[in-house]
Amino acid sequence: MSSGIARRREAKAARRKKLLENRRKLVQGEKPMRPMPDFGGGAAPGADASDLDGENYNPAEAPDPKEWLALDEQERQILVENFHRRAGVRPPNETVHAIFHVIVENQIAEGDDLPVRRAVERLIDGGLDRHEALHAVGSVLSDFMYDILQGKETKAFPQDAYNAAVERLTVESWRQQAKPEAPAKKRGKPR
């Protein structure tokens, strides 16, 4: 093994160790270290400057594609989870939520091979903020993943169908899908 590969592996292992230590510190309420570059825009909404820990991801701003793709999947996931914690966002399943963010960010960072970057830009131009546009694309992805997990699709990911669904995605279709349902009426005897 060349010394360059060994150095890169050692650096990656050191970054992972720092990220995991930061995660432990965040969970325990301690101040994290500063191992990673700032991935966009500063603190999360509602946070102040003391929350900046040098390990930021902010879905309101696109991370630099080269820096983003240079991280491993776990590092990306930790950055996304940390953002949501700082922002006070508590999705039903933090890990799954972060994984979908990471997948969509990865697809954007890959460039024009997929329609995701163009779709996010189109949704932003249509009035969504970038974070909401990521969620819109993530919802399309989650529909396809659900079908695969339920055995409704073949074992191979239906890339062409996914690309077409992303291209069809509009602000209106997302808002209609994301609109909360009205609370169910209580059943029983009227008072």
Side-chain angles (χ1 to χ4, degrees):
M1 180 182 336
S2 78
S3 63
I5 293 172
R7 280 194 310 273
R8 283 193 299 274
R9 284 186 178 169
E10 288 172 10
K12 188 175 185 178
R15 273 196 328 263
R16 177 176 288 153
K17 182 178 178 182
K18 287 179 183 179
L19 282 167
L20 292 173
E21 178 65 14
N22 277 350
R23 187 178 210 183
R24 183 195 62 76
K25 286 183 174 190
L26 282 170
V27 168
Q28 294 177 352
E30 299 174 30
K31 185 79 173 159
M33 297 179 288
R34 299 176 181 260
M36 299 298 297
D38 184 353
F39 283 110
D48 62 26
S50 66
D51 293 323
L52 291 174
D53 60 20
E55 188 183 286
N56 292 320
Y57 160 79
N58 186 342
E61 296 187 27
D64 177 83
K66 288 180 183 176
E67 289 181 11
W68 181 258
L69 294 174
L71 300 171
D72 70 25
E73 293 293 318
Q74 185 178 19
E75 291 169 327
R76 297 173 203 166
Q77 180 183 336
I78 290 169
L79 288 169
V80 172
E81 288 174 355
N82 288 348
F83 166 82
H84 287 93
R85 281 191 199 108
R86 287 190 316 271
V89 176
R90 300 286 183 244
N93 187 321
E94 181 180 88
T95 301
V96 171
H97 187 91
I99 288 169
F100 277 92
H101 261 270
V102 168
I103 292 170
V104 174
E105 289 285 12
N106 291 350
Q107 292 173 344
I108 293 168
E110 289 293 335
D112 290 329
D113 291 341
L114 298 172
V116 175
R117 184 187 55 76
R118 293 184 307 274
V120 168
E121 289 172 357
R122 185 179 70 250
L123 294 169
I124 292 169
D125 290 345
L128 298 183
D129 66 34
R130 187 173 185 279
H131 194 178
E132 193 173 13
L134 295 175
H135 283 203
V137 173
S139 74
V140 173
L141 177 62
S142 71
D143 289 344
F144 279 85
M145 295 303 295
Y146 179 81
D147 287 347
I148 289 169
L149 292 171
Q150 296 300 310
K152 296 177 185 175
E153 291 288 337
T154 63
K155 292 186 183 207
F157 187 81
Q159 191 67 54
D160 291 338
Y162 169 72
N163 290 348
V166 168
E167 288 173 345
R168 286 191 306 271
L169 184 61
T170 65
V171 171
E172 294 76 27
S173 67
W174 163 247
R175 287 188 173 148
Q176 189 65 27
Q177 175 187 340
K179 186 186 293 186
E181 294 182 22
K185 294 182 180 180
K186 292 184 179 179
R187 298 178 191 227
K189 297 179 185 176
R191 293 185 178 192

